[in-house]
Every structure is written in structure tokens, then in C-alpha cells.
Amino acid sequence: MLRKCVPAALAAAMVVSFPALAQDAPASAAGWTGSGELGLTSASGNTRAQNINAALSAGLDDGRWHHDASVFWLRNRGEVEVDRNLDGVPESEMEDTANRYGLAFSSAFDLDKRSYLVGSLRYDHDNFASYLWHGVAAASYGYRWLDDDRLRLVTEIGPGFRRSHDASSGAVENEGIVRGLADFGWQLNDSTRLLDTFLVESGRLNTFVQNDLGLQVSMTQALALKVGYQVRYNSDVDPGFKKTDTVTMLNLVYSVK
């Protein structure tokens, strides 16, 4: 068996991780921050596969205001057997097996050192999910339980509105939701940081949950390697779709502070 797998990763941009509400800097700090990450994998030989995932975000701290924007993209192509000629002899073809992208924006205003109010917008598009897209707008109250160089724990909760497109029926669903978020960071040592962001958007028609767990190891002040594991869950899906999706990533991260 001959199999060749070539992983590569690079990244660039002005970014701050989503959600934007857990700022490591104090409320009085001002300026741009950012980070970007990219992971690539290509395999050939007996099995052919191609994968790319990328994330880019930018943040601006302006006194008591904190603004953040982010974008991500995930695509996977794999080798499948398809009988295009209907002759009983399948042919090997490369087809998309995952294609997902999303955008997010938020603006937060500090009430005091720990408390803040935040408005957030999120759009998520997935060609291989029960819901083709979600659009979410929410207003939340946030609280910084811990926020120093070693530990960070930030939570948010508030009402929102979600508009979703059912991929099977083509119907567009509208509903009020409750949005909750927990953002955790732990600096294990000088070069290693554990990150976890938990998001839930729950309404009458569907409950969406996403958890992003990552371990980031710095190589220089700007470059780091990151291992990430993402879990996404929808409580209501059409027949033939699974409720839970998972993604494992190994990315190179570039940060601007």
C-alpha cells in the first residue's frame, strides 16, 4: 500500500478570537488585535483526500467598547465510488464531503470592570447539514468571573432571534431563542494555553450547541501550533442527518497584538 499524506499550515491576518466578549486586556486598553489560523491536509495513493480549514478574526478595543469580527471556512474533498454510466462499474471521483463557512460580529460595552452588555450577530452556512443556514441576532449580559494572565472565565446570557433554512423542505423558520456562552482560558505554562468556548442557542424548534476545545503551543511571540476539537449539535434534524458533527484540526496560528 502506497499512501502519502502531506500536512501543511499557514496563517495571516488581523484577528481576535470569537467570541469577542472575553477580552484579556482591561477595559481601558485601546487598539487592534488579531489572529488567523489555517490547516491543510492532502493524501494520495490508495486513498485520496483533501482538507482545508481556516479562521480569521479582528478586534478593536476602544475604551469601554470592544468590537470583534470573525470568519471561518471548512472544506473537505474525498474519493467516492460513483456509477455515472449506470453500467454496474463504479468510477472513482473526488467530491465534496464537507463545506461550511460562517461570519460573526459583536460589540460589547463595559458597565464596570467585570460586567458588560453585548450585541452579537452570527451567520452559519453548511451544505451538508439538516439546516442549510442559520442567522442569529442576540443581546446579552456578560460577566468576567476570572480575567488575568493565567485564568479567564467569561459567561453571557440573553434573548435573541434566529432565522433558519431547512435544507430538505426549503422552509424558513423564525423563532425566539435564549443564547448562552462560556469562554474559558488557562495558561498552563509560558508557552501552552488551554482554550474552550461553549455556545448554546435554544429555541422552541431547535437547540444548537457548539463547543470548541483547543490546546495552543507558542513557538514565537507571533506563531503557535494549535490542536482543536469542535463538537456541533442540533436537537432537531431531518431523517438521514445526524444530530452531532465533530471536527479535529491541527493548525498554524499567527497572532497580532
Side-chain angles (χ1 to χ4, degrees), residues 165-245:
H165 184 279
D166 189 290
S168 297
S169 67
V172 176
E173 303 172 348
N174 300 304
E175 62 177 327
I177 62 167
V178 175
R179 174 185 178 271
L181 181 140
D183 193 15
F184 174 76
W186 181 14
Q187 192 70 38
L188 300 176
N189 54 45
D190 291 342
S191 61
T192 307
R193 189 168 184 84
L194 180 68
L195 305 166
D196 190 80
T197 301
F198 177 82
L199 171 68
V200 58
E201 297 164 346
S202 182
R204 178 179 59 87
L205 301 175
N206 181 54
T207 295
F208 171 79
V209 178
Q210 178 171 307
N211 192 81
D212 290 280
L213 177 65
L215 185 66
Q216 185 165 307
V217 180
S218 300
M219 298 181 292
T220 68
Q221 289 186 345
L223 291 175
L225 284 175
K226 180 181 177 182
V227 178
Y229 183 71
Q230 181 185 87
V231 179
R232 292 161 59 96
Y233 170 84
N234 284 283
S235 64
D236 182 72
V237 298
D238 293 324
F241 289 92
K242 295 183 178 180
K243 293 185 176 182
T244 303
D245 292 295

Side-chain angles (χ1 to χ4, degrees), residues 57-134:
S57 57
L60 173 63
D61 292 337
D62 187 9
R64 298 173 70 178
W65 284 97
H66 309 282
H67 310 287
D68 293 87
S70 64
V71 59
F72 78 89
W73 180 45
L74 168 69
R75 187 183 184 190
N76 184 77
R77 288 177 61 81
E79 189 174 36
V80 297
E81 300 292 326
V82 181
D83 186 6
R84 296 291 187 188
N85 300 324
L86 302 178
D87 57 2
V89 180
E91 296 86 21
S92 296
E93 294 185 3
M94 293 291 288
E95 288 190 359
D96 287 347
T97 56
N99 189 26
R100 180 195 307 161
Y101 63 88
L103 308 166
F105 176 80
S106 65
S107 286
F109 178 77
D110 290 335
L111 301 174
D112 54 42
K113 186 176 181 180
R114 291 186 177 272
S115 302
Y116 60 91
L117 297 176
V118 57
S120 60
L121 300 172
R122 188 179 72 86
Y123 176 80
D124 187 279
H125 187 107
D126 192 339
N127 288 345
F128 293 86
S130 181
Y131 289 96
L132 180 62
W133 54 260
H134 292 287

